[in-house]
Amino acid sequence: MARSFTQLSTLLEWLDLDRDKLPFQCDDSADFPLRVTLDFASRMRVGDAGDPLLLQVLPLQQESAVVEGYSQDPVGDMNAAVSQGVLQKYNGRALLITTAACAIHCRYCFRRHFPYQQQHIEPQLCDQTLEKLNAPDITEIILSGGDPLTLNDQRLALLLSQLKQLPYLKRLRIHTRMPVILPSRVTPELVNILRDFPLPVTTVLHINHPNELDESVATALHQLRHSNTHILNQAVLLKGINDSPEVLKELCEKGFRMGILPYYVHQLDKVHGSAHFQVSRERALELEKQLRKQLPGYLLPKFVTEIAGENSKVSIGRF
Ligand SMILES: *Cc1c(COP(=O)(O)O)cnc(C)c1O
Ligand code: SF4
């Protein structure tokens, strides 16, 4: 992570791009700074300002546009906090904000304005958190953030050793981009920690474009599968990046070759700064229809949106 790009000028130079000749205005003064690993950047095409991986991380001036309907907390996270760093929206599932850190800063992130200072847990859980989680109506815990795999193996092992004591827990889930953004994070120790967890573990990755997947990711996922975790993917529908049936189909098929099952395609949450990525609902429905015609049922992701206050993610055909 220390070798990541955090300066716009360095990244552009590395990609052989001239800031003044880009087809859009960049703005690297934002409070959500540029961050991308060398691994991820090395999958970008040199000299291509429209590269679908570059567009996910490039800070643009458009982000400061105030657009009606876009807000700091588009999915009602703050109303879902049942204790410090514990979000509960849906039956049976509690989501833990384990860290504020990520190895990449995705410009469209719905938690880009999240008040991590006020809302996070420590790997050594406090009594209040343990009490909250030790409840018959919490059967699945989701480690989220930030990216929970930015915690080192020791801190992760500490957290899991407490979770495995919870008598009502049936499943554990980890929402992470790390195996894709920094494949070397899948250490033998991580594989052991997950394999030794006494309950089924599901890893939900976040990959938006097939170019994010290369041999180094395939190798990391191959290792990860030794821990018996189920591997799923959620993508975010992003204008100019993956809003075509060909790209989404390739994402599903290429991922499957690496052991990933498609889970969700999310309609973009309306977070301030992301409006230029929005794909219309009509287009999303059309993409789903096209994919449904071409892919077997088990490779077809569910197209969903999140509506604050609903008791599950909502199929885009239904709202
Ligand atoms: C999305 C989300 C979940 C997970 O929902 P699934 O449909 O089970 O994947 C759980 N908790 C919160 C707070 C969420 O936002
Ligand atoms: S990895 Fe996930 S949490 Fe981190 S910036 Fe990207 S979308 Fe947001």
Side-chain angles (χ1 to χ4, degrees):
M1 276 177 73
R3 279 184 284 137
S4 295
F5 290 100
T6 54
Q7 297 293 329
L8 181 62
S9 52
T10 326
L11 177 64
L12 291 179
E13 191 184 337
W14 195 72
L15 289 170
D16 205 11
L17 290 169
D18 188 342
R19 184 170 179 162
D20 300 329
K21 292 189 189 131
L22 295 175
F24 33 68
Q25 289 281 322
C26 290
D27 178 4
D28 49 349
S29 67
D31 54 354
F32 185 57
L34 173 100
R35 171 173 285 282
V36 62
T37 58
L38 198 51
D39 299 82
F40 196 77
S42 68
R43 298 171 211 146
M44 296 172 185
R45 289 183 294 250
V46 171
D48 182 358
D51 180 89
L53 276 54
L54 176 63
L55 294 179
Q56 294 181 48
V57 301
L58 206 59
L60 300 186
Q61 209 163 57
Q62 279 168 295
E63 290 176 24
S64 42
V66 176
V67 182
E68 206 190 316
Y70 287 72
S71 68
Q72 305 274 332
D73 180 16
V75 294
D77 269 350
M78 295 322 289
N79 286 331
V82 293
S83 102
Q84 142 97 276
V86 182
L87 307 188
Q88 200 176 0
K89 287 182 183 167
Y90 308 142
N91 277 331
R93 287 148 286 173
L95 184 147
L96 304 187
I97 303 291
T98 57
T99 171
C102 288
I104 182 170
H105 284 173
C106 315
R107 304 317 302 176
Y108 53 83
C109 178
F110 74 102
R111 289 211 183 106
R112 56 179 289 174
H113 308 292
F114 190 83
Y116 288 107
Q117 289 306 323
Q118 301 157 37
Q119 288 294 344
H120 67 276
I121 57 143
E122 294 294 335
Q124 177 74 59
L125 296 172
C126 64
D127 292 344
Q128 196 205 2
T129 308
L130 275 171
E131 219 164 280
K132 203 79 214 174
L133 298 180
N134 187 5
D137 69 331
I138 296 183
T139 51
E140 178 169 359
I141 285 178
I142 300 172
L143 304 186
S144 184
D147 196 313
L149 292 187
T150 57
L151 298 177
N152 65 26
D153 288 334
Q154 198 188 349
R155 288 163 76 81
L156 199 67
L158 171 64
L159 177 57
L160 265 51
S161 70
Q162 299 158 84
L163 298 181
K164 78 176 176 202
Q165 314 277 344
L166 296 169
Y168 301 108
L169 203 64
K170 295 180 184 164
R171 297 178 289 278
L172 178 71
R173 213 195 300 181
I174 302 178
H175 283 187
T176 179
R177 267 201 112 170
M178 285 300 256
V180 180
I181 306 304
L182 194 72
S184 59
R185 177 63 190 90
V186 183
T187 58
E189 180 59 18
L190 175 67
V191 173
N192 287 339
I193 293 168
L194 298 181
R195 194 192 49 215
D196 292 345
F197 196 76
L199 300 171
V201 180
T202 303
T203 305
V204 182
L205 301 171
H206 167 188
I207 309 158
N208 301 314
H209 193 281
N211 291 5
E212 294 176 47
L213 298 167
D214 70 357
E215 272 313 303
S216 68
V217 178
T219 305
L221 294 179
H222 187 79
Q223 297 304 320
L224 189 60
R225 273 152 65 201
H226 289 308
S227 68
N228 289 330
T229 169
H230 306 274
I231 304 178
L232 307 178
N233 182 51
Q234 44 187 349
V236 180
L237 208 49
L238 298 167
K239 190 158 141 190
I241 293 175
N242 61 7
D243 55 339
S244 88
E246 293 77 21
V247 169
L248 289 174
K249 178 166 181 263
E250 200 195 335
L251 174 64
C252 295
E253 292 187 323
K254 193 172 176 185
F256 186 65
R257 288 204 297 277
M258 299 184 184
I260 308 167
L261 278 174
Y263 182 37
Y264 282 146
V265 168
H266 293 269
Q267 181 113 45
L268 184 83
D269 296 315
K270 293 187 170 173
V271 67
H272 172 65
S274 72
H276 54 288
F277 287 117
Q278 189 64 260
V279 175
S280 71
R281 176 173 176 270
E282 291 66 36
R283 179 69 183 150
L285 285 168
E286 176 60 24
L287 290 168
E288 185 189 32
K289 193 170 138 196
Q290 293 293 331
L291 280 194
R292 192 182 291 276
K293 272 197 273 189
Q294 296 181 51
L295 287 170
Y298 65 93
L299 288 190
L300 186 72
K302 299 172 181 74
F303 281 64
V304 293
T305 190
E306 182 162 346
I307 300 176
E310 290 288 319
N311 58 16
S312 71
K313 306 281 188 257
V314 183
S315 163
I316 55 161
R318 262 191 43 221
F319 73 100

